[in-house]
Amino acid sequence: MAEPTPPRAEPAGPAGSGGGEAEGTAPTPAAATVGPEPAPASASAPTTGAAAAVAYARPVKRDWRGQRPFWGGLLVTLGGAEILFTLRAPLPVVLHIGMQGMAGYLVPAVMVLCGVLIIFNPAQRLFYSITAVLASLASWLTSNLGGFLFGMLLGVIGACVTFGWQPDQPLRRGRARREQRKAEQRAARGRAAGPAGV
């Protein structure tokens, strides 16, 4: 019983002091395997932290835009703003300002309002898109031929984009590949920055 105790005490001894040659060779691989394990663990902690910070810093705006029909609302807003701008043109350029003049300003103002509401209140996007289509088509009669046709087309296209937008639609294949490549590049940068920082 006295002999089994020294071999148990010796593996801890050679790792610290180096007593015993035959038995000291066996624990050194164990010490070598134990030694590198904390280094990757310590390096992986900053890497994951840095990679997480880099990975979640940029897609915040993209996620905000992805949760709403951003481009449809922007097109409707730009269409209404363009019609309002053409109404401020000189009198010889203005072709038609509406039946009593007030409708010429009211219809594009409704378009701008619908575009802003589409962006900031996407839950009611169907109602706003239908209203935007009707206002865009009405601008042909009331507001300088729909802002020389450009404002009306922008409003109709933006309303159609909004109407067809779905909140849970998957990414297209090309976009999914680009996102995957960017995520891999961010992870590689984080791994490269981890050991350099340590």
Side-chain angles (χ1 to χ4, degrees), residues 169-188:
Q169 58 188 357
L171 292 174
R172 295 189 301 270
R173 291 180 183 175
R175 176 87 183 269
R177 287 176 195 154
R178 286 196 299 271
E179 295 292 333
Q180 186 177 2
R181 281 184 208 143
K182 288 178 184 177
E184 289 172 358
Q185 289 173 356
R186 288 187 204 116

Side-chain angles (χ1 to χ4, degrees), residues 20-154:
E21 296 176 6
E23 295 173 9
T25 54
T28 45
T33 54
V34 172
E37 283 180 23
S42 61
S44 67
T47 333
T48 53
V54 172
Y56 291 112
R58 284 187 64 191
V60 172
K61 290 183 181 177
R62 196 171 299 152
D63 290 343
W64 184 82
R65 282 196 313 239
Q67 293 170 358
R68 61 203 69 242
F70 177 78
W71 297 111
L74 184 64
L75 288 176
V76 172
T77 305
L78 289 177
E82 197 270 342
I83 294 173
L84 282 173
F85 181 73
T86 57
L87 290 176
R88 303 293 296 172
L91 193 59
V93 180
V94 173
L95 301 176
H96 189 64
I97 301 188
M99 293 169 275
Q100 298 181 3
M102 192 64 176
Y105 293 99
L106 184 62
V107 169
V110 168
M111 288 176 64
V112 171
L113 182 65
C114 284
V116 171
L117 288 174
I118 284 169
I119 294 174
F120 291 103
N121 188 16
Q124 304 295 328
R125 65 189 179 278
L126 297 179
F127 173 73
Y128 298 142
S129 64
I130 293 171
T131 307
V133 165
L134 295 177
S136 301
L137 295 176
S139 68
W140 176 262
L141 299 174
T142 60
S143 306
N144 203 13
L145 295 179
F148 301 115
L149 190 67
F150 293 112
M152 185 185 75
L153 285 178
L154 283 174

